[in-house]
Amino acid sequence: AVQAKWISSPSSGAFVILDKTAAGDKKVDALDEMAGDINFFLCPNFPETREVELSVMIAEKSCRGKGLATEALQLTMDFCKRAYGAWRFVAKVKQGNTPSLKLFSTKLGFQEEKFEPTFQHHLLALDNPPSPSSRKTFRRFRQERARILDLLPETWHSKLSFENKYPLPPSPVISLSREECKDMIEGSNKTIDEQTAKQKENALSAISKLEEKLRALDESKKPAEVRKIRNVIRRLEKRGAGMRRKNEEMKAAAVGLLEGFLKTYVEVSEK
């Protein structure tokens, strides 16, 4: 009766949580895959607060520890945001329920607002949670940032610092001036030029050593070794000739990466 009331109410809803891995490769009825349920309730004054209360339960002990509750909560919050325009989510966790506290605070980013001694529960809340895809966004941001730092001097590491914690704050994540953005691109070009110059220097040094070794050899006695050295020299010379074109290609790729990063994650100011 309680579930029927929740389902029929325009201010609440319930979803059944299924464990699709429970039966392995066997084809079973959905009832055999039931692991628990998740409920949401639009709080009083919802038009003003946009607040939704959540509760989740994984009843089947064998289904616990698989991330089902985390995924169900993420999807339900995303549903409430799209269907109702929800912005704030709250959960009440019984005192001593450590797994649920860890679920909401560590995995989903909820913050404890107060402890209610009368009911012996913690009140946790999360404002404007990210969508389920934000974990991938966070991972992509860190990967792009790491690639960019490889192109820049160490002085840029502090300028591109951020709180390395999920969930990622709403973009933009980093603030830079327009002049700093320009310096970033110039800095990457300088780094690439230095890397190219070092490679060219190494190639010329290797050619010089090989030519010295070649002069010391008697071609009539060791023709195979002489041919081998000459082939290596030709490959190094060919690589050196193509370094300029490769240098320009690397710069163009770096600029594309930087511009995409700046557009997505950086707030640009005129200062």
Side-chain angles (χ1 to χ4, degrees):
V2 174
Q3 286 183 333
K5 183 179 179 181
W6 271 68
I7 294 171
S8 61
S9 172
S11 62
S12 61
F15 297 107
V16 173
I17 301 173
L18 302 180
D19 181 4
K20 292 294 185 179
T21 66
D25 297 329
K26 298 179 182 179
K27 291 185 178 180
V28 297
D29 189 88
L31 291 174
D32 296 321
E33 298 177 328
M34 288 179 61
D37 61 77
I38 185 167
N39 304 292
F40 67 88
F41 173 73
L42 307 188
C43 296
N45 300 321
F46 177 79
E48 291 78 31
T49 63
R50 296 289 173 179
E51 184 176 286
V52 173
E53 182 179 339
L54 301 167
S55 67
V56 63
M57 177 182 66
I58 303 297
E60 291 292 333
K61 293 184 178 180
S62 61
C63 297
R64 294 172 184 172
K66 296 182 178 182
L68 295 175
T70 303
E71 184 180 6
L73 284 163
Q74 288 176 328
L75 292 172
T76 301
M77 287 191 290
D78 190 51
F79 168 78
C80 290
K81 287 173 70 176
R82 290 185 288 105
Y84 299 100
W87 190 85
R88 173 179 166 84
F89 294 86
V90 297
K92 296 173 181 176
V93 179
K94 199 73 176 176
Q95 184 181 25
N97 191 345
T98 304
S100 289
L101 284 172
K102 184 178 179 181
L103 165 65
F104 282 100
S105 61
T106 304
K107 295 184 179 180
L108 294 169
F110 278 66
Q111 300 292 322
E112 182 170 350
E113 294 198 335
K114 64 179 178 178
F115 177 74
E116 298 182 343
T118 304
F119 301 102
Q120 293 291 297
H121 66 229
H122 304 267
L123 179 66
L124 300 101
L126 178 63
D127 293 330
N128 194 25
S131 66
S133 63
S134 65
R135 196 175 293 274
K136 293 181 180 179
T137 302
F138 182 57
R139 185 167 58 247
R140 185 171 63 249
F141 165 74
R142 290 192 303 177
Q143 291 171 344
E144 290 184 9
R145 176 180 174 273
R147 290 172 62 191
I148 286 171
L149 290 179
D150 287 339
L151 296 170
L152 299 171
E154 287 189 11
T155 53
W156 275 94
H157 287 227
S158 60
K159 293 182 181 180
L160 295 183
S161 63
F162 72 104
E163 187 179 3
N164 190 8
K165 181 182 178 182
Y166 175 82
L168 189 69
S171 294
V173 181
I174 299 167
S175 295
L176 294 174
S177 68
R178 193 169 298 279
E179 190 64 29
E180 284 176 321
C181 294
K182 181 181 177 182
D183 291 342
M184 180 188 288
I185 294 175
E186 291 178 353
S188 71
N189 287 340
K190 183 179 179 182
T191 300
I192 293 171
D193 285 338
E194 290 174 352
Q195 292 174 348
T196 303
K198 185 65 176 178
Q199 291 174 357
K200 191 172 183 179
E201 181 183 342
N202 292 339
L204 291 173
S205 176
I207 290 172
S208 178
K209 291 178 180 179
L210 289 170
E211 287 178 339
E212 185 178 346
K213 185 177 181 179
L214 194 61
R215 287 192 292 270
L217 288 174
D218 187 342
E219 186 173 358
S220 61
K221 293 181 180 179
K222 296 184 178 181
E225 187 173 352
V226 169
R227 285 197 301 272
K228 183 178 179 180
I229 292 174
R230 285 175 175 168
N231 287 335
V232 173
I233 290 174
R234 279 195 290 269
R235 285 199 296 271
L236 288 171
E237 289 174 340
K238 185 177 180 180
R239 186 183 302 171
M243 281 185 182
R244 182 175 180 180
R245 176 177 55 80
K246 187 177 180 181
N247 176 274
E248 296 302 320
E249 290 175 351
M250 289 174 63
K251 285 183 179 179
V255 168
L257 176 65
L258 289 166
E259 288 180 344
F261 183 85
L262 292 171
K263 183 178 180 181
T264 306
Y265 303 111
V266 176
E267 180 182 20
V268 181
S269 64
E270 295 297 332
K271 293 182 180 180

